[in-house]
Amino acid sequence: MIKAIRGMRDILPPESSRWQWVESVAREVFDLYGYKEIRLPLLERTELFARSIGADTDIVAKEMYTFPDRKGEFLTLRPEATASVLRAVLENRLDKGAGVKKFYTMGPMFRYERPQKGRFRQFYQINCEAFGGEAPELDVEVILLLLQILKRLLLGEMRLLINSLGGPECQEKFKAGLGLFLINKEGLCEDCQRRRTTNPLRVLDCKSAHCQGILENAPVIRDYLCSACAAHFARVLERLDYFKVAYEVQPRLVRGLDYYTRTAFEVVAAGLGAQDAVAGGGRYNGLARELGGPDLPAVGFAIGEDRLLEVLPEDFGQDHRRRVFVAAMGEAAREKAFTVVQELRHQNLAGEMDFEGRSLKAQMTLADRLNAAYVVILGERELETNLAQVRPMRNFAAQAQDTANLTEVQGGRLQVKQEQVRFEELVDYLAGKIGPQAEF
Ligand code: HAM
């Protein structure tokens, strides 16, 4: 049997309903804030990511799925979406005109990392990117948007970590200071020995405990911010305070991608273990120019959907649609059942039936497995009398506290009452029971 590739998985029902729910909540909130969806190719030229994420990052150096196509051109399965969104914005001149341009995109990303809890090689992100605004209020708006999505999804315990990485000049000075600090440090891992001269910022997000230990007394970027960057950061924090958003300033938060300038942030959630960041983002004012475009300030974030779903309670977002199963006995009844099922669907009610001529008992089992709320029973007698038997399923009646349809029988067991409904009234009757107007 051919199996899925390591680190890549199928998202199956009923789990897929939860994914749809998360995405629909995100779409609603994006809409409130004026973001429009943008759909992007999964493949881009390798150069796009190498130039934007940075050659010394783990992502570019170790984790990209890169291959030559049939003409020998190097292509990469996108490890993230920001570079692609910006490429699309510049290529399609979406940055033209007044106002901040706001886009969101969702879909799979690919990184060749060691799979573990909360870490996959194909994983899913919900991305938000705003272009053309430099004001600190836009950083705050983007953070508020992120938190609104997470709160609507009822994410429990979470912490917002925030830092400022300054502009290119602040970063250059900081890198020099950090490089100097690291120059005679012993025992840095092989990567960090190289990075301390090529890009010392990347030492800060090294995963090795030993390197992290060495960094305890390292200089922090805050002390290298110019007055404009310091004022920007102060304003971001002040506005977060104003909106009563709790945050923790983390002076060593640099994020694993090279393009950030000024604000950088992450949201971490309880219960995820080592991979606890459910979302990360920040400003990247210099990236458009780096890719050959104009000066285009930008800020955004990405939610890791896989991780988010791991920390949301399992019953959130489950498929709670109420369904009707139409059970039929005999060929003529089956024909009638098919008509009824289609009529239900045209009235926006979920109908199901069996085409295989199973026994009534087997059909009832099927209805149970499909978690049907009602079963309609059609047989020869029902066709003759023009009356269908309608039976609420016990679980549904009990859950809906439908006392009218529940009777207590000997031994305290709840039994459901079956009703007879004329064919012409059947769809309306069921709509009254399980349609949007039905009361529960
Ligand atoms: P990132 O921090 O690399 O940022 O990824 C964002 C989120 O994606 C992480 O916080 C995590 O939840 C999720 N994630 C990353 N790698 C994996 C993985 N291997 N398995 C499961 N989940 C993962 C970015 O990608 C930036 N493009 C975010 C951004 C947008 N910055 C500005 N705009």
Side-chain angles (χ1 to χ4, degrees), residues 120-422:
F120 304 93
R121 289 181 173 171
Q122 175 170 334
F123 60 99
Y124 294 77
Q125 281 187 349
I126 299 175
N127 263 262
C128 160
E129 315 288 356
F131 299 96
E134 238 168 329
E137 285 75 8
L138 188 60
D139 308 35
V140 174
E141 187 185 83
V142 160
I143 293 173
L144 293 175
L145 189 170
L146 167 62
L147 297 179
Q148 193 161 344
I149 294 177
L150 299 177
K151 280 188 191 138
R152 276 214 193 177
L153 294 168
L154 302 175
L155 178 63
E157 221 180 299
M158 57 174 162
R159 291 155 59 215
L160 170 66
L161 314 179
I162 192 163
N163 193 19
S164 173
L165 305 185
E169 282 167 25
C170 317
Q171 283 188 19
E172 277 320 306
K173 285 185 192 148
F174 174 61
K175 281 181 196 166
L178 185 59
L180 218 55
F181 169 83
L182 291 170
I183 200 130
N184 54 6
K185 293 288 176 287
E186 307 255 312
L188 284 171
C189 74
E190 217 173 285
D191 282 339
C192 287
Q193 285 183 33
R194 179 172 41 80
R195 288 162 170 167
R196 70 176 153 194
T197 45
T198 56
N199 189 352
L201 258 192
R202 294 280 64 88
V203 178
L204 290 180
D205 52 24
C206 177
K207 288 160 193 128
S208 132
H210 186 75
C211 295
Q212 283 304 320
I214 292 175
L215 287 167
E216 263 168 33
N217 299 317
V220 288
I221 199 156
R222 188 176 43 209
D223 298 333
Y224 292 77
L225 295 186
C226 68
S227 58
C229 288
H232 184 100
F233 192 42
R235 180 72 177 158
V236 169
L237 299 185
E238 191 250 304
R239 289 286 90 191
L240 288 175
D241 289 333
Y242 174 82
F243 284 108
K244 301 202 166 37
V245 172
Y247 58 81
E248 296 167 34
V249 175
Q250 291 244 321
R252 291 190 210 291
L253 178 78
V254 288
R255 314 250 317 109
L257 306 100
D258 271 355
Y259 49 62
Y260 291 110
T261 54
R262 294 193 164 174
T263 316
F265 57 89
E266 272 178 12
V267 172
V268 297
L272 274 172
Q275 309 301 320
D276 62 352
V278 287
R283 260 199 181 273
Y284 48 101
N285 290 348
L287 187 54
R289 188 158 275 274
E290 183 64 40
L291 295 178
D295 274 328
L296 185 64
V299 57
F301 66 78
I303 297 175
E305 214 178 336
D306 310 71
R307 288 186 197 170
L308 178 58
L309 275 146
E310 222 159 289
V311 283
L312 293 178
E314 243 170 60
D315 51 337
F316 287 6
Q318 294 283 8
D319 174 14
H320 290 302
R321 193 174 181 94
R322 293 173 280 269
R323 289 167 196 283
V324 177
F325 190 93
V326 185
M329 286 161 300
E331 187 52 37
R334 251 197 316 280
E335 268 178 31
K336 177 71 184 166
F338 202 178
T339 318
V340 172
V341 164
Q342 282 308 108
E343 279 172 9
L344 286 169
R345 291 169 177 163
H346 286 138
Q347 294 306 315
N348 222 10
L349 301 172
E352 288 282 347
M353 68 174 288
D354 162 55
F355 293 120
E356 313 296 330
R358 291 185 169 82
S359 69
L360 181 60
K361 188 162 175 251
Q363 291 185 62
M364 293 305 285
T365 309
L366 206 55
D368 211 31
R369 185 138 49 85
L370 293 169
N371 211 7
Y374 277 83
V375 177
V376 173
I377 300 168
L378 300 179
E380 267 174 38
R381 195 155 53 90
E382 284 72 21
L383 291 185
E384 270 167 31
T385 56
N386 203 33
L387 286 172
Q389 311 282 344
V390 181
R391 184 189 296 182
M393 294 295 274
R394 193 164 350 138
N395 280 347
F396 170 72
Q399 169 203 324
Q401 304 195 326
D402 186 354
T403 38
N405 272 313
L406 279 174
T407 46
E408 200 134 335
V409 294
Q410 261 189 338
R413 269 192 54 198
L414 288 173
Q415 197 77 330
V416 284
K417 267 197 257 164
Q418 190 158 303
E419 296 211 37
Q420 295 195 324
V421 182
R422 292 167 58 80

